[in-house]
Amino acid sequence: MSKLFRAVIMGPPGSGKGTISERIAQSFGLQHLSSGDFLRENIAANTEAGVLAKTYIEKRLLVPDHVMTRLLLPRLEEMTRHSWILDGFPRTLAQAEALSRACELDVVISLNIPLETLKERLRHRWIHPASGRVYNLCFNPPRMQGVDDISGEPLIQHEDDRPEALVARLRHYKDVAKPVIDLYKAKNILHTFSDTDTDRIWPHISSLLNTKIRTDQSSAQRASTN
């Protein structure tokens, strides 16, 4: 029996967390868990935590740690038989500590992308608000400009993705992410990847996970035969 494998991916806005997570999910059979998807699902279902989260989002405020953990941790507790890659959580030290109490992580992937690359990516990023589907006019454009491929509804560009707002967002990300990164570095599970291109980063991440997942599965198989 194979050992379950749990991983987290971190990175600033526009770093490619969703793209990398999807590749990991497809290549290694992990489930891609997105904090953004969980938020949208809870808001659509009018759960208590979803209603609370919506009040912050409508005011353009960050959803507080205690609300995010109420949204995410119950879902993770349901995933006892699944290996997964978690995208968008934890963002803060309080969230990371809550996650550590709930489960043990095998790997944390941190994406380190140059500022100019992030600016260029986000300048061309358009989003379908209801689903969270992301398009990029340079490398992942919608079939019809300005329109979501699946629903046919209009795409939007977040004001926060515009260059003048991006520097402040990145400064905030670095300040908040540093203690999280330090925590995972101390646990010896942090792996940082730096480049300007997702396609150049991917082979290194794939190689790391091939080693980690195969090693874990071999250990589990040996244990089951003893």
Side-chain angles (χ1 to χ4, degrees):
M1 182 173 63
S2 298
K3 177 184 180 294
L4 292 177
F5 189 84
R6 275 74 186 271
V8 159
I9 187 163
M10 300 179 61
S15 59
K17 296 187 295 296
T19 301
I20 293 288
S21 296
E22 285 297 326
R23 290 189 184 184
I24 291 172
Q26 292 168 10
S27 300
F28 295 95
L30 276 64
Q31 293 213 18
H32 175 199
L33 308 180
S34 163
S35 63
D37 288 347
F38 290 161
L39 264 174
R40 283 182 286 274
E41 288 169 12
N42 276 268
I43 290 170
N46 281 319
T47 66
E48 184 180 348
V51 170
L52 190 56
K54 187 178 179 182
T55 63
Y56 290 95
I57 292 170
E58 287 177 340
K59 296 174 184 174
R60 301 184 64 80
L61 299 172
L62 292 174
V63 180
D65 293 334
H66 71 277
V67 178
M68 288 302 300
T69 53
R70 281 173 63 186
L71 284 168
L72 268 292
L73 296 187
R75 180 66 67 89
L76 296 181
E77 288 166 2
E78 295 171 1
M79 307 283 292
T80 54
R81 297 185 179 182
H82 299 278
S83 296
W84 43 254
I85 173 80
L86 180 55
D87 160 20
F89 183 95
R91 293 181 186 272
T92 67
L93 182 59
Q95 292 176 14
E97 290 171 341
L99 180 59
S100 294
R101 290 190 291 271
C103 65
E104 184 177 347
L105 296 176
D106 297 285
V107 166
V108 174
I109 294 165
S110 178
L111 303 178
N112 182 25
I113 311 298
L115 174 62
E116 290 307 314
T117 301
L118 296 174
K119 283 182 178 178
E120 185 65 16
R121 287 182 184 178
L122 293 176
R123 189 164 65 88
H124 297 287
R125 183 162 81 166
W126 291 79
I127 295 172
H128 178 237
S131 69
R133 281 186 288 276
V134 177
Y135 299 88
N136 189 288
L137 300 184
C138 293
F139 55 82
N140 178 37
R143 289 194 291 266
M144 185 180 297
Q145 186 171 353
V147 176
D148 178 55
D149 287 350
I150 296 174
S151 69
E153 294 171 339
L155 303 176
I156 67 166
Q157 188 172 40
H158 282 317
E159 290 183 12
D160 289 347
D161 285 347
R162 292 171 184 166
E164 56 272 19
L166 181 60
V167 174
R169 286 181 73 194
L170 290 176
R171 188 179 298 119
H172 176 76
Y173 170 81
K174 286 185 177 181
D175 290 344
V176 172
K178 186 180 185 306
V180 182
I181 288 171
D182 289 344
L183 173 70
Y184 291 137
K185 192 181 295 183
K187 291 176 178 284
N188 203 31
I189 57 173
L190 180 75
H191 300 267
T192 301
F193 299 90
S194 304
D195 210 309
T196 59
D197 191 314
T198 299
D199 287 339
R200 288 201 293 265
I201 289 176
W202 169 244
H204 300 289
I205 294 176
S206 179
S207 178
L208 166 73
L209 294 181
N210 262 313
T211 303
K212 293 288 185 182
I213 292 174
R214 285 177 182 170
T215 299
D216 286 346
Q217 290 179 348
S218 298
S219 299
Q221 287 164 357
R222 286 196 300 271
S224 68
T225 58
N226 291 337

